[in-house]
Amino acid sequence: MGQAFSILKTTKTYYSGFFYYLFGAGRHSPYKLKNESTIPSLEIQPNDSKETSLFKQYARIHLFSLTSVFYLYNKPHYRKGSYRDDLIDNLRNVAIPGTGIPLSLVARSRILGCLFLLTAYPAVSYVAAIHKWFMSKFQSSISEEYATRLLAPDDWFSYWRLNCNVVGLHALLNDMPEGYDMENKWTFLEKGAQLGVPVSPFLKTPGIVVKHRNEEGGMGIHFYKNATAGGDWIIQETISNSDWVSTLLPNNAPLSTFRVITQSKASIHLDQVPQIDDITALSCVFRAGRQGAATDHDSILFDVDVKTGMIRGGTTNAHWYRLGLHETLPGRCPWRSHHGYQTHPDGEIAVSGNYVPDIKGMLALVEQSHLKMCPDVPFAGWDVVFSADPKLPICLLEVNLSCNFFRGSFDRNEYFDFIDESFAQIQALRLTADAEGKKFQVKK
């Protein structure tokens, strides 16, 4: 009975919070911080533990961000015509593990999205709680896991969605600050070179011609015009893994990068001059590419301690990218993954326990880059390369602004406090836009 009561209480909190932020007082009033929550069950009490307080804070953030998707839905996005377009594009190959159904289907209309959040999402959360209880040999708490999945999900996808939501709202309501131009890789490379940031080298040839080896005559010929000459293609020098990175990889592995996430408090106070103290490196992950893979998108994700540089256990998120109804068959698609990789599976190469050379220097590089190139953007995900080129031993390959932690660990207190402050500023701008009847024009 205790479990059933807790599950019902969690469900009530979810629905009351969802409607509070969707069209209730939470939609039409300033965003409340920490223990100022007007959702009774999420008010932080003096006797709450640090973990309970953090759970309630995240639950409120999660509910606010879920409902704000409907506000953003048909409004402009900094890299797409609309937020809807960006959702469909980015979720076309992502599915809740074991379902095989791309989440882009849910994103195609507000009605479908709302029905999903009101029905399927609580049901999936409950099934996930039962699954964990069963896999733990009935040792886990169904009600606690249900509350985590529904109110404060700690999976990589939920954090990615939250980061995308923050930058989507921030870009829209601050009239697309200049830093969002860095999402365009050519703009990023050009500005980085101008500012003296070590970005991946590019060639200045006007273009190249590629011919298929099995086509004769004029067939199979493709012309690529370089961005330096006004074209759509960036022609770059080949970059190879450094000797140290290569010792952690199998033969025939792709260029394998470090993904570092930084956040900028300067994005909250755009009227102030940004300082280096405004920028914080939150997480770092080594994406150890698989043997024979074209890129490190197919990789083992090894968490890196940002304080010491020690490489921790590895994991994957590949089970979120398995599409097709056959993935629903028992035993076909794992529902969960683990952080138990200590070695690279393609050769049993020891990875965990190694230390990233000069981790402080690498983090300082991305923090300085965030300050120089896009301090007006809340989050930036930097792809850092340790290169075999002695003239450029470390460089930035690209930056992603709707960024993904790739399951790296981070200081959740610092992260949630930053999002709280960001949402408070964003909600104030949204209320002002409402009062002024501001119209947002979607790019064609």
Side-chain angles (χ1 to χ4, degrees):
M1 289 296 294
Q3 288 274 337
F5 178 77
S6 295
I7 289 170
L8 288 173
K9 184 178 178 181
T10 295
T11 306
K12 179 182 178 183
T13 297
Y14 173 73
Y15 284 122
S16 62
F18 185 85
F19 289 119
Y20 171 77
Y21 285 125
L22 183 62
F23 48 67
R27 170 63 184 86
H28 304 289
S29 60
Y31 179 82
K32 302 291 185 180
L33 296 172
K34 292 190 175 180
N35 61 342
E36 298 175 347
S37 173
T38 53
I39 303 171
S41 55
L42 296 182
E43 289 181 359
I44 298 175
Q45 304 300 325
N47 59 343
D48 281 341
S49 66
K50 289 184 178 180
E51 193 61 32
T52 299
S53 298
L54 196 66
F55 177 90
K56 290 180 176 180
Q57 182 183 13
Y58 182 25
R60 181 172 35 75
I61 287 170
H62 180 59
L63 291 167
F64 179 87
S65 69
L66 282 180
T67 56
S68 65
V69 169
F70 298 97
Y71 172 79
L72 280 171
Y73 192 71
N74 282 322
K75 292 183 174 64
H77 189 268
Y78 68 91
R79 65 183 179 189
K80 293 287 182 179
S82 69
Y83 193 75
R84 173 186 182 272
D85 294 339
D86 193 65
L87 283 174
I88 292 172
D89 188 44
N90 280 283
L91 299 180
R92 68 189 186 280
N93 62 342
V94 181
I96 297 173
T99 66
I101 302 172
L103 287 170
S104 58
L105 293 178
V106 176
R108 289 190 175 277
S109 80
R110 277 197 179 103
I111 294 175
L112 280 176
C114 192
L115 287 174
F116 174 84
L117 290 175
L118 292 177
T119 59
Y121 178 41
V124 168
S125 299
Y126 183 71
V127 171
I130 295 292
H131 177 263
K132 184 175 182 179
W133 177 70
F134 181 78
M135 297 301 293
S136 69
K137 297 181 180 179
F138 318 113
Q139 297 302 306
S140 69
S141 167
I142 295 174
S143 60
E144 288 181 8
E145 178 66 9
Y146 175 67
T148 297
R149 298 274 69 82
L150 188 62
L151 295 177
D154 54 4
D155 56 271
W156 75 275
F157 174 79
S158 295
Y159 287 130
W160 177 35
R161 187 203 60 78
L162 178 56
N163 289 348
C164 294
N165 182 255
V166 172
V167 297
L169 286 165
H170 181 272
L172 175 74
L173 291 164
N174 285 286
D175 298 319
M176 307 293 175
E178 183 181 356
Y180 285 95
D181 293 341
M182 294 304 102
E183 188 76 25
N184 180 296
K185 188 170 182 180
W186 175 239
T187 304
F188 163 76
L189 292 174
E190 260 196 322
K191 186 167 184 178
Q194 292 169 3
L195 296 174
V197 174
V199 294
S200 54
F202 53 89
L203 302 177
K204 295 187 178 180
T205 175
I208 59 173
V209 180
V210 178
K211 185 179 187 302
H212 193 283
R213 64 180 180 177
N214 291 325
E215 294 282 356
E216 294 191 15
M219 302 296 291
I221 292 179
H222 303 277
F223 296 86
Y224 297 90
K225 189 177 181 182
N226 200 341
T228 59
D232 295 325
W233 299 90
I234 300 171
I235 302 173
Q236 295 184 267
E237 298 178 23
T238 300
I239 306 174
S240 301
N241 293 310
S242 70
D243 290 342
W244 175 76
V245 170
S246 295
T247 65
L248 307 178
L249 299 170
N251 293 329
N252 196 27
L255 182 69
S256 297
T257 61
F258 289 80
R259 165 58 65 88
V260 183
I261 303 294
T262 53
Q263 68 181 26
S264 171
K265 288 189 176 179
S267 65
I268 301 174
H269 309 290
L270 296 178
D271 58 335
Q272 299 178 13
V273 178
Q275 306 291 330
I276 190 60
D277 290 343
D278 293 326
I279 315 295
T280 303
L282 287 174
S283 69
C284 179
V285 169
F286 173 46
R287 298 190 293 192
R290 302 300 301 268
Q291 188 171 31
T295 70
D296 62 1
H297 286 84
D298 183 4
S299 61
I300 306 299
L301 310 171
F302 286 93
D303 187 26
V304 177
D305 187 333
V306 293
K307 293 182 180 179
T308 67
M310 187 181 78
I311 302 178
R312 296 166 168 163
T315 186
T316 71
N317 58 5
H319 56 307
W320 281 82
Y321 290 93
R322 297 179 64 162
L323 304 181
L325 293 180
H326 60 284
E327 298 294 348
T328 63
L329 297 174
R332 175 72 188 184
C333 178
W335 285 20
R336 301 172 188 267
S337 58
H338 59 82
H339 284 78
Y341 287 101
Q342 300 297 310
T343 62
H344 196 298
D346 301 332
E348 297 304 316
I349 303 162
V351 178
S352 296
N354 286 284
Y355 285 81
V356 177
D358 191 19
I359 185 69
K360 291 183 179 179
M362 180 173 71
L363 299 184
L365 168 63
V366 294
E367 288 175 345
Q368 287 283 354
S369 299
H370 198 156
L371 177 67
K372 290 179 180 179
M373 302 179 75
C374 51
D376 47 6
V377 176
F379 294 108
W382 306 90
D383 290 342
V384 185
V385 175
F386 282 80
S387 165
D389 185 349
K391 300 189 297 296
L392 196 66
I394 185 170
C395 67
L396 304 178
L397 191 63
E398 64 178 357
V399 66
N400 299 272
L401 307 182
S402 293
C403 49
N404 183 340
F405 282 111
F406 284 106
R407 305 196 68 179
S409 60
F410 53 91
D411 186 329
R412 295 198 302 157
N413 286 284
E414 187 167 27
Y415 174 67
F416 292 148
D417 284 348
F418 173 71
I419 291 181
D420 252 347
E421 291 182 52
S422 296
F423 277 166
Q425 185 248 11
I426 284 168
Q427 177 68 352
L429 291 173
R430 180 158 63 156
L431 294 176
T432 299
D434 290 345
E436 295 175 351
K438 187 173 182 177
K439 301 296 183 183
F440 300 94
Q441 298 299 318
V442 176
K443 294 181 292 183
K444 300 297 184 183

